[in-house]
Amino acid sequence: MKIKVLGPGCVNCKKMHEMTLQAVKELGIDADIEYVNDMTEISNYIMVTPGLVVDEVVVHEGKPLPTVHEIKILLKQKNASSGGSGCGCSGCCG
């Protein structure tokens, strides 16, 4: 799984990156996480930061920021569509 956190380096973008790292760690999935701060590249995906791209699909844009739990759900949904399993939480991901 390839994950891109998109943002110019503001507080919210850094927080999104940290929460994404935490979500991937908690899920125990194999992911390549890139923090993209080049506005030209960011504009290829979204107009409002922060953004989250999973396997070249935008799964979040702008505020409010998702929680770690919500990021796990987004990653789980992408992982399930590629043959992975749920996040192991207590019920949200079935």
Side-chain angles (χ1 to χ4, degrees):
M1 176 178 290
K2 293 187 182 207
I3 301 170
K4 293 181 182 180
V5 177
L6 310 175
C10 66
V11 171
N12 285 324
C13 300
K14 289 177 182 177
K15 184 166 181 70
M16 172 78 92
H17 183 241
E18 292 168 7
M19 290 189 303
T20 301
L21 291 170
Q22 182 180 344
V24 167
K25 182 178 178 182
E26 288 180 13
L27 288 172
I29 58 176
D30 184 27
D32 178 25
I33 303 170
E34 180 183 1
Y35 186 175
V36 178
N37 60 9
D38 177 67
M39 289 307 292
T40 302
E41 186 174 351
I42 290 170
S43 68
N44 290 329
Y45 294 98
I46 60 174
M47 298 305 295
V48 180
T49 61
L52 188 63
V53 177
V54 180
D55 293 333
E56 295 302 310
V57 176
V58 176
V59 297
H60 179 83
E61 177 178 2
K63 294 189 278 184
L65 295 180
T67 64
V68 171
H69 185 74
E70 290 167 335
I71 293 171
K72 288 169 61 175
I73 292 170
L74 293 170
L75 297 178
K76 179 262 174 193
Q77 289 170 343
K78 275 304 279 178
N79 199 33
S81 69
S82 63
S85 61
C87 76
C89 70
S90 59
C92 75
C93 302

